[in-house]
């Protein structure tokens, strides 16, 4: 197990290096005249040249990247060129907000998708058709339209929730729940569609296996066979899809946070990308890549716990 975790961590480090290299290169190519953006269009050529030199942008790309990387491996991601804020502070102060939305959406997705998927696989017929139709709708409707519809119905018309804003959990648990409920639902709807389909397919295949008939012949109830044995065997593929959905939800959170005016990483990402704030963008890239690596590692460990064959391999 230790060797497995070590291999995963090493592959994660390689992935971080590759992603950061590609991202830095793309930002450098499309960065434009960043010094003039910082100083404004009325800045003199001399002032722009001086600012460019101060930021180190007059050096070759390879030199700039190595300099950034040498600081990044020590935990120093630099300072925002536009706000002067430390990148680590700007990210750590907002990452909890985004993760609360994404983790909440994943939990809702897992619960609802398992219920729908098992229901469709076990009962078939009209139940299966209903789940299929719901899944197609979940795939077809864009997430931002779902978010806008939820705001219009539940916040503006029914006034059950506030349309925008965010209350920290430490300040008021009930206020926090009221501000994250609609964003979590908006994020989860599209994910539920994909995971429910995977659960349905995996459970359907598992129910056709010989061990199910053997367990039933030994007197075990159908519900016990499904929830204790079939779900365990069908859980691996569903977890893999859930990991992919987690990564997608990190991207979807950017749009949802804009619609609900939630101060998460989405707002930082949009602002930094628009301005060409390379240190902040690179910090976001690294933070996102680390989250993805950790999530994939946890999913692999869960799959090993669910399926001994995976654990042995």
């Amino acid at each position: 197990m230790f060797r497995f975790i070590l291999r995963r961590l090493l592959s994660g480090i390689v992935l971080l290096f590759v992603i950061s290299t590609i991202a830095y290169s793309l930002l450098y190519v499309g960065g434009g005249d960043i010094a003039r953006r910082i100083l404004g269009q009325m800045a003199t050529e001399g002032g722009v040249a001086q600012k460019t030199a101060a930021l180190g942008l007059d050096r070759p790309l390879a030199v700039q990247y190595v300099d950034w990387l040498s600081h990044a491996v020590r935990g120093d991601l630099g300072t925002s060129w536009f706000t002067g804020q430390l990148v680590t502070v700007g990210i750590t102060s907002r990452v909890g907000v985004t993760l609360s939305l994404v983790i909440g959406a994943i939990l809702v997705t897992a619960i609802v998708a398992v219920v729908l998927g098992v229901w469709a696989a076990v009962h078939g017929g009209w139940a299966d058709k209903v789940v299929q139709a719901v899944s197609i709708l979940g795939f077809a409707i864009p997430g931002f339209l779902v978010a806008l519809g939820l705001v219009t119905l539940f916040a503006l018309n029914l006034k059950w929730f506030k349309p925008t804003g965010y209350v920290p959990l430490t300040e008021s648990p009930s206020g926090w729940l009221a501000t994250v409920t609609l964003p979590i639902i908006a994020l989860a709807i599209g994910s539920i569609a994909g995971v429910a389909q995977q659960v349905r397919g995996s459970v359907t295949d598992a129910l056709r296996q010989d061990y199910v008939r053997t367990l039933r012949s030994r007197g075990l109830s159908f519900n016990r066979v499904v929830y204790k044995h079939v779900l365990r065997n069908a859980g691996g593929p569903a977890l893999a899809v859930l990991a992919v959905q987690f990564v997608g939800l990190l991207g979807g959170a950017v749009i949802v946070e804009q619609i609900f005016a939630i101060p998460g990483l989405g707002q930082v990402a949009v602002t930094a990308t628009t301005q060409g704030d390379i240190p902040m963008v690179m910090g976001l890239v690294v933070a996102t890549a680390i989250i993805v690596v950790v999530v994939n590692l946890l999913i692999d460990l869960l799959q090993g716990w669910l399926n001994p064959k995976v654990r042995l391999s």
Side-chain angles (χ1 to χ4, degrees):
M1 179 62 71
F2 175 76
R3 292 173 60 186
F4 168 77
I5 295 175
L6 183 61
R7 287 199 305 270
R8 285 297 187 183
L9 290 176
L10 290 176
S11 64
I13 292 173
V14 174
L15 178 65
L16 280 172
F17 173 75
V18 172
I19 290 176
S20 64
T21 303
I22 295 174
Y24 202 96
S25 302
L26 292 175
L27 288 170
Y28 182 86
V29 171
D33 196 348
I34 296 174
R36 185 170 293 281
R37 294 184 198 169
I38 297 173
L39 297 176
Q41 295 301 318
M42 301 303 294
T44 63
E45 292 297 329
V48 171
Q50 185 177 2
K51 187 64 175 180
T52 300
L55 295 175
L57 296 175
D58 56 341
R59 299 173 298 171
L61 172 60
V63 175
Q64 293 184 47
Y65 176 69
V66 170
D67 180 54
W68 174 86
L69 185 63
S70 65
H71 287 82
V73 295
R74 299 196 298 267
D76 179 13
L77 296 176
T79 305
S80 170
W81 288 343
F82 289 82
T83 66
Q85 184 183 39
L86 290 174
V87 172
T88 51
V89 173
I91 293 175
T92 55
S93 63
R94 293 171 177 260
V95 68
V97 178
T98 298
L99 285 181
S100 67
L101 297 180
V102 175
I103 293 174
I106 282 293
L107 291 176
V108 171
T109 297
I111 295 171
V112 177
V114 168
V115 172
L116 291 177
V118 172
W119 183 53
V122 170
H123 294 283
W126 67 271
D128 189 21
K129 292 179 181 178
V130 168
V131 172
Q132 295 269 26
V134 170
S135 298
I136 292 173
L137 285 175
F139 279 125
I141 302 175
F144 72 91
L145 284 181
V146 174
L148 290 174
L150 291 173
V151 169
T152 303
L153 177 60
F154 294 105
L156 298 180
N157 293 338
L158 298 177
K159 302 188 184 302
W160 290 356
F161 302 93
K162 291 183 178 179
T164 58
Y166 177 80
V167 177
L169 177 62
T170 54
E171 182 178 317
S172 171
S174 60
W176 171 81
L177 185 62
T179 54
V180 301
T181 299
L182 292 183
I184 285 175
I185 294 174
L187 283 172
I189 286 180
S191 299
I192 289 171
V195 180
Q197 285 284 65
Q198 181 61 59
V199 172
R200 170 193 167 276
S202 299
V203 172
T204 301
D205 292 339
L207 288 173
R208 296 171 181 165
Q209 300 301 313
D210 292 335
Y211 75 87
V212 174
R213 289 188 290 271
T214 302
L215 291 172
R216 290 286 289 142
S217 67
R218 292 180 178 179
L220 272 70
S221 67
F222 182 75
N223 287 338
R224 185 178 179 185
V225 171
V226 170
Y227 292 107
K228 186 176 181 180
H229 300 280
V230 171
L231 266 183
R232 186 168 187 138
N233 286 284
L239 282 174
V241 175
L242 207 60
V244 175
Q245 294 294 337
F246 188 96
V247 177
L249 289 175
L250 286 173
V254 174
I255 299 174
V256 170
E257 287 176 2
Q258 294 295 308
I259 294 174
F260 290 94
I262 295 176
L265 291 181
Q267 289 186 353
V268 178
V270 171
T271 302
T273 304
T274 304
Q275 293 175 333
D277 193 344
I278 291 180
M280 185 62 75
V281 174
M282 288 302 300
L284 291 168
V285 169
V286 170
T288 304
I290 290 174
I291 292 172
V292 170
V293 170
V294 172
V295 168
N296 285 330
L297 176 60
L298 292 176
I299 292 296
D300 287 337
L301 293 176
L302 282 174
Q303 286 183 329
W305 175 72
L306 287 172
N307 191 342
K309 293 181 180 179
V310 175
R311 193 158 59 240
L312 289 173
S313 64

